[in-house]
Amino acid sequence: IIIKSILVFIITFALSGGASYALTTYLYSPESGGPITPVATPPIGGGLNIDPASPRTSECPINGAMFTSAEQKVWESRRPLYIMIENMPEARPQSGLNSADVIYEAVAEGGVSRFGAVYYCGVAARDTIVGPVRSARTHFINLASEYNYPLYTHVGGANCGSSDPKLCNTDKRVQALEQINQYGWGGAKGNDLNQFSMGFPTFWRDYERLGKTVATEHTMYSSTEKLWKYASATRGWTNKTPDGKLDWKDKFVPFSFKDDAKDKGSVGKISSGFWESYHQFDVTWTYDSGKNLYTRQNGGEAHKDRNDDSQLTAKVIIVQFTKELGPLDEHKHMLYEVVGTGKSLVFQDGTVTEATWTKKDRESRTVWTDSKGKKITFNRGKIMIEILPSDNKVEY
């Protein structure tokens, strides 16, 4: 009996060990220990059966695009996701950019641009993989603040780097993680979705998503449904704050929207760069008058979305000129002053409007006005906001 018990124990241990090894091999890459996503994802569309052929009678409050009433029912139970997505050439093509409602692009540091992508209406009917997700930066936080406690999604961020403030190696003006806590976003019940405090299965690493092995910093992904599910189930964040007192739209000021113009302009191409000699981040938007859309090239190549191989498009292109500060510290962190006022160019319907942007404080909505001081009305659809240093040139 003793011998039999020992044999059973050995066999059980071997089987459980083998299962554990197999699971570990499945969930973790051999190189870094980073988790790989399972196939299963949460129910999409908030669990509703959404018919995409239904009449589009509901206006998205973020970009004015029209959706079905079923999709509206989904997004009204949530608050926007604001996700940091990188733009290093090694990370292209990214996943999910073409599904965003609004995208902000600005330099993070060293001439390398990064995206702050807002997801709300456009993914209400389907789960969407997004990434590679990267770290937080101050000017993106200042822009995300316009969405009234959005689910700010990132992987770490610029920070002091020491428990002793006197030993900080990051300029105080760009200590993003400290600012997140200062604004009340952080902590176990906050609206800040930092991968460092969440991990698998909401976030995962995929080393082969681009069809080739890439460095670890270019491999972090998540999905819109996983993020919303985590925020709701774990943090208590839906369309309302966890205490139920504040709906995210209570302080949100939507833009004014319009239908496409009947008469189109002839501004066919928009070209700009962020830093001189960093041409892999140069951007060209080409206007398609037939579709009344702008298609994007990045670094001289068509900018694709890995999810469906579509080229990135937008209905409205806004170039926002801002004061550039930096490099501010040994990490070469940059800061773009998106709070204040400055010049801007607004492209839509094949036309260009010289405009002024104004943002009174961190939580205020950025407002664009024309030469007569009238608020600009935007076309319905994806809005792309390119944030450039004030002395940069845009050719069109």
Side-chain angles (χ1 to χ4, degrees):
I1 296 174
I2 295 174
I3 295 174
K4 183 178 180 181
S5 299
I6 293 173
L7 287 174
V8 169
F9 172 80
I10 293 172
I11 293 171
T12 302
F13 179 82
L15 289 173
S16 63
S20 176
Y21 176 79
L23 181 61
T24 301
T25 303
Y26 171 67
L27 292 179
Y28 294 85
S29 75
E31 297 172 349
S32 71
I36 305 298
T37 182
V39 174
T41 58
I44 63 174
L48 297 179
N49 183 17
I50 297 175
D51 180 5
S54 297
R56 295 178 174 269
T57 56
S58 299
E59 181 182 87
C60 176
I62 290 180
N63 67 9
M66 303 303 292
F67 294 88
T68 66
S69 59
E71 288 168 299
Q72 180 181 9
K73 186 175 181 179
V74 172
W75 79 57
E76 285 188 339
S77 67
R78 299 167 167 175
R79 63 186 51 240
L81 292 163
Y82 190 107
I83 305 177
M84 300 300 303
I85 299 177
E86 70 162 307
N87 194 31
M88 285 289 288
E90 295 85 348
R92 302 173 194 163
Q94 298 91 339
S95 297
L97 282 178
N98 234 2
S99 298
D101 299 318
V102 176
I103 303 175
Y104 299 85
E105 183 178 21
V107 165
E109 66 264 334
V112 178
S113 73
R114 189 166 296 177
F115 300 108
V118 184
Y119 297 88
Y120 188 59
C121 306
V123 294
R126 61 189 181 278
D127 191 21
T128 301
I129 293 176
V130 289
V133 183
R134 287 299 291 269
S135 56
R137 292 294 182 271
T138 294
H139 40 283
F140 285 103
I141 294 172
N142 291 340
L143 292 165
S145 297
E146 297 190 16
Y147 296 89
N148 193 17
Y149 292 92
L151 301 174
Y152 185 63
T153 306
H154 58 102
V155 180
N159 63 91
C160 175
S162 172
S163 57
D164 183 352
K166 295 180 181 180
L167 300 178
C168 281
N169 53 17
T170 298
D171 189 283
K172 187 174 182 179
R173 290 169 289 182
V174 289
Q175 291 175 13
L177 297 190
E178 285 80 1
Q179 291 159 357
I180 285 170
N181 289 324
Q182 178 187 343
Y183 302 151
W185 292 15
K189 293 297 181 181
N191 61 296
D192 180 60
L193 303 187
N194 184 352
Q195 183 270 336
F196 282 7
S197 63
M198 296 165 57
F200 185 82
T202 304
F203 289 91
W204 66 86
R205 290 196 181 277
D206 191 336
Y207 289 83
E208 302 294 336
R209 181 164 174 78
L210 301 182
K212 59 183 179 182
T213 302
V214 295
T216 297
E217 62 265 30
H218 310 305
T219 62
M220 187 66 75
Y221 293 87
S222 188
S223 83
T224 52
E225 291 291 331
K226 286 180 181 292
L227 291 165
W228 270 312
K229 179 181 179 181
Y230 181 93
S232 175
T234 306
R235 303 282 182 87
W237 286 87
T238 58
N239 59 311
K240 295 184 179 296
T241 52
D243 59 14
K245 294 181 179 179
L246 182 67
D247 189 292
W248 86 269
K249 287 190 292 185
D250 287 348
K251 293 183 179 180
F252 180 72
V253 180
F255 296 136
S256 295
F257 301 106
K258 69 178 187 65
D259 295 329
D260 292 3
K262 293 181 179 179
D263 298 323
K264 308 298 192 299
S266 58
V267 178
K269 186 170 289 188
I270 310 158
S271 299
S272 62
F274 291 90
W275 280 20
E276 188 176 357
S277 301
Y278 285 70
H279 297 301
Q280 64 268 48
F281 300 98
D282 287 353
V283 176
T284 298
W285 291 95
T286 302
Y287 178 58
D288 183 332
S289 60
K291 297 180 179 179
N292 201 27
L293 277 174
Y294 298 85
T295 58
R296 177 179 164 110
Q297 285 188 314
N298 203 177
E301 298 181 354
H303 195 164
K304 297 292 190 72
D305 190 320
R306 178 65 176 171
N307 286 351
D308 59 7
D309 199 41
S310 62
Q311 187 169 358
L312 188 61
T313 64
K315 291 287 288 186
V316 180
I317 310 297
I318 300 175
V319 178
Q320 182 176 347
F321 295 103
T322 64
K323 184 177 181 180
E324 178 185 63
L325 301 178
L328 297 175
D329 50 39
E330 63 185 68
H331 303 291
K332 303 187 185 302
H333 288 132
M334 305 298 298
L335 178 61
Y336 293 86
E337 294 193 335
V338 295
V339 177
T341 188
K343 295 181 179 180
S344 195
L345 296 171
V346 177
F347 298 89
Q348 57 183 348
D349 297 317
T351 67
V352 59
T353 301
E354 294 185 1
T356 299
W357 66 268
T358 303
K359 181 172 167 67
K360 294 180 181 180
D361 53 42
R362 177 179 62 86
E363 294 182 303
S364 294
R365 192 80 160 116
T366 305
V367 174
W368 279 270
T369 55
D370 61 20
S371 59
K372 297 181 180 179
K374 183 180 179 180
K375 288 184 180 180
I376 293 176
T377 301
F378 299 110
N379 277 353
R380 304 180 188 279
K382 188 186 300 117
I383 300 172
M384 184 80 193
I385 302 171
E386 306 279 11
I387 297 170
L388 300 181
S390 56
D391 58 352
N392 278 30
K393 292 183 179 180
V394 178
E395 296 181 357
Y396 55 91

